[in-house]
């Protein structure tokens, strides 16, 4: 399912202790688990034979290590706008714990106290989309779940809150692109392992 138009390959970082336990990991810089490192190395096989005009990574250790272990670290450019959602007061806290204190809370609707809202993350995603539109060729991006979900929503013209409808597993691969021409952005593949 290749395209004559540029494609944007998205890789969510490999497993960490916090992703495994469901703790919100925004700006806390924690390493991959051994399983996360193994999954990151396996990304290389899934991208074998592809060429990329640009390779971008979140500056987080978990994203950049996934990039490096997949074999793309030497060419990667770290971009601060690719950082995960800033969870503020909810950093390191599980959704279950948040809901016990704040029933009905939804990340994409309510955001995080002392952290970002979906609109804040959407503004960063929009900046990346604008940069991508200027690249003539395929781009490979390594980042984190909630940011990539908002990014995908913005790519196809949905509001940032639309990211709530796209779930991503660790070390998953997704592809954004175009359908008939460069005015029709689409999600070509999503959350593939």
């Amino acid at each position: 399912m290749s395209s004559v138009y540029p494609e944007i390959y998205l890789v969510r970082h490999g497993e960490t202790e916090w992703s495994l336990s469901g703790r919100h990991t925004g700006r806390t810089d924690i390493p991959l688990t051994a399983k996360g490192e193994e999954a990151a190395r396996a990304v290389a096989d899934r991208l074998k034979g592809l060429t990329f005009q640009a390779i971008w990574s979140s500056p987080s250790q978990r994203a950049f290590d996934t990039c490096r272990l997949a074999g793309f670290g030497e060419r990667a450019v770290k971009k601060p706008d690719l950082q995960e959602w800033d969870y503020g007061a909810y950093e390191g806290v599980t959704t279950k714990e948040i809901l016990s204190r704040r029933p009905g809370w939804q990340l994409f609707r309510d955001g995080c106290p002392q952290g970002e809202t979906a609109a804040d993350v959407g503004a960063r995603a929009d900046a990346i989309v604008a940069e991508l539109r200027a690249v003539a060729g395929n781009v490979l991006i390594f980042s984190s779940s909630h940011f990539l979900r908002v990014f995908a929503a913005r790519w196809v013209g949905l509001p940032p809150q639309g990211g709530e409808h796209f779930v991503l597993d660790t070390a998953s691969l997704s592809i954004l692109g175009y359908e008939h021409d460069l005015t029709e952005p689409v999600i070509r593949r999503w959350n593939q392992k």
Side-chain angles (χ1 to χ4, degrees):
M1 184 177 179
S2 63
S3 172
V4 297
Y5 300 109
E7 293 181 320
I8 313 308
Y9 288 71
L10 308 177
V11 178
R12 182 185 173 194
H13 64 77
E15 177 189 272
T16 67
E17 288 295 333
W18 282 18
S19 68
L20 184 60
S21 64
R23 295 170 71 178
H24 285 88
T25 317
R27 304 301 162 87
T28 303
D29 209 11
I30 60 176
L32 300 173
T33 62
K35 182 179 175 184
E37 289 178 354
E38 181 182 328
R41 285 184 195 95
V43 168
D45 288 336
R46 294 160 52 207
L47 298 174
K48 189 176 255 176
L50 297 172
T51 57
F52 298 100
Q53 184 68 28
I55 300 166
W56 298 343
S57 177
S58 162
S60 74
Q61 175 181 333
R62 61 193 180 272
F64 189 75
D65 282 353
T66 300
C67 174
R68 181 181 55 77
L69 292 166
F72 297 95
E74 288 185 16
R75 287 192 48 215
V77 174
K78 294 181 182 179
K79 293 197 170 275
D81 280 340
L82 291 173
Q83 290 183 95
E84 178 60 299
W85 197 306
D86 181 349
Y87 299 116
Y90 293 158
E91 181 76 8
V93 182
T94 66
T95 298
K96 183 178 179 179
E97 292 168 332
I98 296 166
L99 290 172
S100 72
R101 291 180 266 167
R102 189 173 169 191
W105 173 81
Q106 293 178 359
L107 174 65
F108 288 89
R109 182 190 64 210
D110 303 322
C112 300
Q114 294 128 37
E116 290 182 301
T117 64
D120 296 329
V121 180
R124 291 193 288 112
D126 288 346
I128 295 293
V129 168
E131 283 188 74
L132 285 169
R133 302 261 193 238
V135 176
N138 296 341
V139 177
L140 176 59
I141 294 176
F142 293 83
S143 189
S144 298
S145 178
H146 286 129
F147 174 81
L148 290 174
R149 293 168 65 178
V150 171
F151 178 76
R154 297 304 300 138
W155 179 260
V156 296
L158 296 174
Q161 295 82 354
E164 71 184 343
H165 301 292
F166 305 108
V167 174
L168 280 175
D169 297 321
T170 55
S172 61
L173 175 65
S174 301
I175 304 172
L176 308 180
Y178 301 91
E179 189 167 14
H180 300 107
D181 59 45
L182 297 177
T183 67
E184 295 183 13
V186 296
I187 296 172
R188 298 183 64 79
R189 297 181 189 166
W190 191 255
N191 198 37
Q192 296 188 325
K193 293 294 271 182

